[in-house]
Amino acid sequence: MKHTILLFLSILICFKTAHAHNSLSETEKLAATAKIWDFLKYYHPHVASGKFKWDDELFKVLPKVKAASTKEELSQVYIAWLDNLGRVKACKNCKQESSLEYFDRNFDLSWIKENQVFTAELTERLKHVEQNRHQGKKYYVSAGKKIGNIEVTNEINYKGFSWNDENLRLLTLFRYWNIVEYFFPYKYQMDTNWDEVLSNMIPKFLHPKTELEYQLAILELVVSIDDSHAGYYNDTIAAYFGHYWMPAHFKLIDKRAIITGFYNDFLARVDDIRIGDIITRVDGQEVEGIFSQKEKYISGSNISRKKLNAFHSIFNGSSDSVQIEFIRNNQTATKTIKRYLLDELNPKAKEAEKFKILKGNIGYVDMGRLELKDVEGIMEALKGTKAIIFDIRNHPKGTFRSVANYISSKRNDFYKVIYPDLGYPGKFIWRNGDQIGQSGDLKYKGKVVLLVNERAQSHAEFTIMGLQTGDNVTTIGSQTSGADGNVSVFELVGGHKTAITGIGIFYPDNTETQRKGVKIDIEVKPTVQGIIEGKDEVLEKAIEFVNTNT
């Protein structure tokens, strides 16, 4: 009798263990649903052409997905869904060999074969859709003219929806995930695998306790693509960081915040805030700890840009004062300083010269102020200098092609591009970029130096790449933002906008610029002592370089 009971218990335990192994978690089921819903949206001929209200189809299938407990049950839900979409006819064009040069590092449909979640029958059905995918104009996405980055089309934005609506929260996640999955050229460079991001984010979108938790989940999702072009902002997010600002600019160096300038000189003097003050703690918390805690909410392709974008993350708050610990003249002190609303700070941009001649007959041009109409006159004024320093630690105004005609004696390739293939979503196509410069006698014969840092982003980085092809050019500074390529802006569920870099930009030798930034010949980073002494160490290095190499 004892042996019979033991045998029964053993069988029962084995059955429960096998059942547990065969059961799918809530996250696994929803992740699978997101991938299939996304895949069908762009691949299935009837869905991609707009014959179905695809959001509604998701809402209808979700209860069935939740009710399924095993891969067999879940796969049957998806198979029935596929049956309702209609027969997929053979696609002759899909099977033809393409003469296009593909960039395939983003392309991954291996999840279709995931036998832990899908049955063999479902896998075959999905592969059939891939092999006979939709061709022609798509309903939910189109390609921008000339450039090729995507435009999201015909999506319902559900403005004013309640964050308590679970279906719309999941729709927010699924939509964003699929746009990045199929049309973000730099997906392969992310720190966290995009499938893993989906699995990590599902619980946060499924079970937020407050609206703030939900909005922060969206922000974390957007930040997770590691793209300086990606951002997300609304009143709830602004309140989380705080509406009150310290009246000073700062730079994060060596785990501390160094005061570099002021929004309002008078208000900074009220609390005796000085350039070069080294702030180590804010309300008792180390600066490094604050940055680490909030980094997942700070967008940026690399740590250099993230530190720049932390401008509202370290000192902002919900009250009009904050306690700081700081070092000045090697002495540590603590005091409470005032914080202000932005309109109280009344920040004003300081006027600066577009160009000037520095000591030693060296020209200097501020590319953030140089306009197209200025190029000819300024280059004429500087033609007798022994060098021109072009400062691109800013946002240039589209003048680099005109400038390149003065510093190049021939036409040069300066970039290559990849853009999404809407006929095979997830794949990208290589295309050669155009050329820059002017063939003939060199108009400006002196040295050319480009100053760069993390403020150089997107068009600024493209500007640098173009000018680097000049005959006698040296690039000095530190890592740029690493967000190079035309931007695709789109609305999330709820109407708030975000963006991704929509095309991939590479040097002609296929060197990546995204996340890495532009190529630098001489690296120079500002130091704490240099800030205290009011130096522009990058500019000083450029002048030293010119004087020792002329």
Side-chain angles (χ1 to χ4, degrees), residues 384-399:
T385 56
K386 64 182 179 183
I388 300 178
I389 297 171
F390 291 95
D391 196 337
I392 318 178
R393 297 172 295 178
N394 45 46
H395 303 285
K397 299 179 180 295
T399 55

Side-chain angles (χ1 to χ4, degrees), residues 39 42-43 102-109 133 138 150 178-188 418-429:
F39 170 75
Y42 300 122
Y43 273 76
Y102 277 111
F103 178 91
D104 281 340
R105 294 185 67 181
N106 291 305
F107 184 74
D108 183 13
L109 292 179
R133 60 196 170 274
K138 285 181 165 49
I150 63 140
N178 80 60
I179 289 170
V180 172
E181 170 71 5
Y182 291 109
F183 306 117
F184 180 46
Y186 301 121
K187 185 185 73 169
Y188 73 100
I418 58 171
Y419 63 97
D421 181 4
L422 299 192
Y424 211 147
K427 288 181 177 282
F428 288 77
I429 302 168

Side-chain angles (χ1 to χ4, degrees), residues 140-151:
Y140 293 107
V141 65
S142 64
K145 295 179 180 178
K146 295 183 180 179
I147 305 300
N149 55 305
I150 63 140
E151 296 176 1

Side-chain angles (χ1 to χ4, degrees), residues 48 54 134 152 159 172 280-281 318 337-338 390 403 532 549:
W54 202 232
H134 177 265
V152 175
K159 283 187 178 178
T172 303
T280 54
R281 291 178 181 269
S318 57
I337 62 173
K338 286 275 291 178
F390 291 95
V403 172
I532 292 172
N549 290 274

Side-chain angles (χ1 to χ4, degrees), residues 3 6 15 45 57 65 112 126 255 265 284 310 313 316 336 402 458 465 470 484 499 543:
H3 291 298
L6 288 173
F15 173 77
E57 289 295 318
V65 168
I112 288 176
L126 295 174
K255 304 176 183 179
D265 291 0
S313 305
N316 279 38
T336 298
S402 294
S458 196
M465 292 172 68
D484 207 352
I543 293 171

Side-chain angles (χ1 to χ4, degrees), residues 91-275:
C91 170
K92 295 179 181 179
N93 293 338
C94 298
K95 295 177 175 59
Q96 293 177 355
E97 283 292 324
S98 174
S99 60
L100 298 171
E101 182 186 359
Y102 277 111
F103 178 91
D104 281 340
R105 294 185 67 181
N106 291 305
F107 184 74
D108 183 13
L109 292 179
S110 61
W111 58 267
I112 288 176
K113 303 173 185 177
E114 181 51 70
N115 59 17
Q116 297 297 318
V117 181
F118 302 141
T119 61
E121 180 186 358
L122 177 59
T123 293
E124 287 304 311
R125 293 287 297 272
L126 295 174
K127 286 170 63 178
H128 178 73
V129 174
E130 179 195 358
Q131 292 163 1
N132 299 282
R133 60 196 170 274
H134 177 265
Q135 299 295 295
K137 184 178 181 181
K138 285 181 165 49
Y139 187 72
Y140 293 107
V141 65
S142 64
K145 295 179 180 178
K146 295 183 180 179
I147 305 300
N149 55 305
I150 63 140
E151 296 176 1
V152 175
T153 56
N154 296 309
E155 295 284 21
I156 303 170
N157 60 30
Y158 302 96
K159 283 187 178 178
F161 90 94
S162 170
W163 70 271
N164 290 297
D165 190 321
E166 180 182 301
N167 280 349
L168 290 179
R169 293 199 307 269
L170 289 175
L171 177 65
T172 303
L173 172 60
F174 290 5
R175 264 198 204 166
Y176 185 85
W177 192 87
N178 80 60
I179 289 170
V180 172
E181 170 71 5
Y182 291 109
F183 306 117
F184 180 46
Y186 301 121
K187 185 185 73 169
Y188 73 100
Q189 286 185 310
M190 293 181 194
D191 286 340
T192 305
N193 178 275
W194 195 227
D195 287 348
E196 187 179 332
V197 171
L198 177 62
S199 296
N200 291 342
M201 297 308 301
I202 283 173
K204 297 183 180 184
F205 277 77
L206 200 57
H207 306 296
K209 296 183 181 65
T210 63
E211 181 178 7
L212 175 60
E213 278 192 16
Y214 170 61
Q215 294 295 340
L216 288 177
I218 298 176
L219 179 56
E220 184 179 351
L221 174 67
V222 170
V223 168
S224 69
I225 73 171
D226 300 313
D227 181 13
S228 298
H229 279 141
Y232 179 72
Y233 196 76
N234 56 36
D235 291 342
T236 305
I237 297 297
Y240 167 74
F241 287 107
H243 294 297
Y244 287 88
W245 297 64
M246 181 180 68
H249 305 287
F250 64 93
K251 186 176 182 66
L252 295 176
I253 301 177
D254 298 332
K255 304 176 183 179
R256 301 173 294 182
I258 319 302
I259 301 301
T260 58
F262 309 117
Y263 291 108
N264 185 301
D265 291 0
F266 172 76
L267 295 178
R269 286 196 298 271
V270 168
D271 284 316
D272 188 29
I273 302 171
R274 302 182 192 177
I275 292 175

